[in-house]
Amino acid sequence: MSSAATSPGSIVRPDNPVQHVDTTKFIGWVAMVVGMFLAILDIQIVASSLENIQAGLSASPDEIGWVQTSYLIAEVVMIPLSGFLSRLISTRWLFVASAIGFTIFSIASAFAWSIESMIWFRAAQGFLGGAMIPTVFATTYIIFPADKRNTASVMIGLIATMAPTVGPTLGGYLTQSFSWHWLFLINVLPGMLIALVVAITLDVDRGDRSLLRGFDLRGLLAMAAFLGSLEYVLDEGPKDDWFDERAIVYGAVICVISGLYFFRRMFTYDHPIVDLRSFRDRNFAMGCIFSFTLGIGLYGSVYILPLLLSRVRGYDSLEIGTIMAVTGICQFISAPIAGKLTAKLPARVVLGFGLALFAVGVALNGFQNSQVSFHELILPQAVRGFALMFCMLPITNLALGTLPPEKIKNASGLYNLMRNLGGAIGLAAINTMLDKRTDLHFAHLAEHINTASTGFQNYLATMTARYSAMGLPDPQASAMKSIVNIITREASMISFNDVQLAMAGIFILALLLLPLARPARSGKPSADAH
């Protein structure tokens, strides 16, 4: 990147766009991207070792889930709020405060003395760290001219999609080699360095304290209640059989009431906490739909494959991480290719290719058996990893590329929120579908366990004789238990295939919606774009 014509303290204005990127600002932007990586990685790295944290804090299975839920609820509230805060105190100081807060509460989480303290520390970590993600996207469209945004977007997309891929592997390694405390302590040194670098280098705008005069406290509380209860219902619903649990019912009621009030407030208040008018831009609205879809595929595929390999094949986190690494390698390979094609071809063409390829990659996982191993998973993982960058880059350009600069900060928060909501809703749907389909397939397979089935009788006799030779006290009961376990395994495997095919169908549906997006305009966005 060449030296800029703008000084570090200048403000980038729509009528005076930068043609070059200042080297100092570029260094700060790279630090921001690394910070975003830490924030996204933290979700996956902790998820891989929840059982170890549970044992260390003497928590129950119901309580340990809140280590993740509290983080996600707090993060999903901060993401849309980050647009207002960056206008209030500037992008630089919001990111610095976010990085420092994330680091401090990483240390606190590592030294948590009980499950209650861990939950509160994780909520603070998620809330304070949540601003690091959308500010990166907004800063990219502030400091990079149009002809360099694709290169920058390649780096962002690669980092954003790599974090969920390497998270389980890194989490498993740290836990097995050291202890679960290092899942949090690993953030400390890079977190402080990132905050320092950004504070020194990235002066791209000024805060506007006058925004406090019209601060919409009611809107903020309504948004927090709406998004927090929505995330809670989506996360806890599948575990508690949805509305059979009273807490889920209360959460759903709060979500509906606060949601209705929030949307009414945003469209009627003079200075709303989140400006929803960006959705008037068709490309931004369609970009958010595609971001939502990508969230389902990105978080869903990273969640379901490790779950399958653990539940059906009995693999540990290190073995699962080795398989998942195929996706990461293919992302690295495809990143420069996707970047060049995005710069030369219309965004809709590249995105159509990416959506179709991702659907194929997921669908290839939908026809596997319970003996699936590394070799059978190479092709589906490679196709899916290759497709990710062809989805990520054009979606970002489609959503943010036609908005005027003054709307980018707010819109970036909404855009990232849609991806997170896609992941949350997708995971809730996956868990529900797995439970329902497993019960259904188990019932169908169990129909063959009866005295009229010669195959069942022969297998039962064989297993009974084997357990009898082993000296077990009740060989027939042990044989029946073994058969039931086999049926459960096979029912689970068929259910995983069903979910993979359902995800492929969602991407095909998104592909059919692609013509509704307008061709992205080239060059800098116009000042009157809306």
Side-chain angles (χ1 to χ4, degrees), residues 45-346:
I45 199 175
V46 174
S48 66
S49 302
L50 283 177
E51 292 183 359
N52 302 86
I53 298 174
Q54 178 185 342
L57 297 176
S58 301
S60 68
D62 291 336
E63 291 173 326
I64 197 62
W66 278 94
V67 172
Q68 288 292 80
T69 302
S70 60
Y71 183 99
L72 294 172
I73 289 175
E75 183 188 54
V76 84
V77 173
M78 171 53 82
I79 287 177
L81 181 61
S82 63
F84 172 82
L85 292 177
S86 64
R87 297 195 302 273
L88 178 68
I89 64 175
S90 81
T91 302
R92 173 174 60 163
W93 294 119
L94 173 61
F95 191 92
V96 169
S98 182
I100 291 174
F102 178 83
T103 304
I104 289 173
F105 282 99
S106 291
I107 298 173
S109 297
F111 292 99
W113 58 88
S114 65
I115 185 61
E116 291 80 12
S117 63
M118 171 66 83
I119 291 171
W120 283 108
F121 293 151
R122 285 286 285 169
Q125 185 190 24
F127 184 77
L128 293 171
M132 288 196 286
I133 300 171
T135 48
V136 173
F137 287 85
T139 304
T140 301
Y141 281 81
I142 291 175
I143 70 171
F144 286 92
D147 62 337
K148 291 182 173 63
R149 285 177 190 159
N150 278 328
T151 303
S153 296
V154 167
M155 187 171 179
I156 291 178
L158 187 60
I159 292 297
T161 53
M162 277 296 296
T165 305
V166 304
T169 309
L170 182 59
Y173 171 78
L174 289 174
T175 303
Q176 291 183 14
S177 301
F178 304 100
S179 71
W180 63 264
H181 304 84
W182 282 94
L183 301 173
F184 305 103
L185 293 176
I186 194 176
N187 297 325
V188 176
L189 181 59
M192 298 308 296
L193 288 175
I194 288 165
L196 179 62
V197 171
V198 173
I200 294 172
T201 60
L202 203 77
D203 189 5
V204 295
D205 57 8
R206 299 287 185 229
D208 182 5
R209 302 298 192 277
S210 66
L211 293 173
L212 286 175
R213 288 197 295 268
F215 182 68
D216 186 14
L217 180 59
R218 292 184 184 179
L220 173 61
L221 295 176
M223 182 181 71
F226 169 54
L227 294 176
S229 58
L230 177 62
E231 182 70 34
Y232 168 75
V233 169
L234 292 174
D235 193 66
E236 297 295 317
K239 304 175 187 176
D240 298 323
D241 204 14
W242 292 99
F243 299 111
D244 288 347
E245 177 66 32
R246 183 173 296 179
I248 302 298
V249 176
Y250 291 155
V253 171
I254 293 172
C255 179
V256 172
I257 294 174
S258 59
L260 291 174
Y261 181 80
F262 168 72
F263 285 111
R264 179 180 176 276
R265 183 80 174 175
M266 293 307 100
F267 286 113
T268 57
Y269 191 65
D270 292 337
H271 304 288
I273 194 75
V274 176
D275 187 1
L276 299 179
R277 288 174 294 183
S278 297
F279 284 102
R280 293 176 182 173
D281 185 291
R282 185 194 295 182
N283 271 18
F284 177 72
M286 293 305 301
C288 285
I289 291 174
F290 294 130
S291 180
F292 183 90
T293 304
L294 182 62
I296 295 175
L298 176 61
Y299 293 107
S301 57
V302 170
Y303 170 75
I304 193 172
L305 185 58
L307 188 64
L308 182 155
L309 294 174
S310 174
R311 185 180 296 179
V312 175
R313 296 291 287 145
Y315 287 5
D316 61 31
S317 57
L318 216 51
E319 292 173 316
I320 293 171
T322 303
I323 294 175
M324 299 292 288
V326 175
T327 302
I329 293 171
C330 291
Q331 285 173 220
F332 270 112
I333 295 173
S334 68
I337 302 173
K340 290 182 179 180
L341 289 180
T342 303
K344 294 180 179 180
L345 298 176

Side-chain angles (χ1 to χ4, degrees), residues 514-528:
L514 194 56
L516 296 178
R518 292 193 183 101
R521 294 188 290 273
S522 59
K524 73 178 184 65
S526 62
D528 60 349

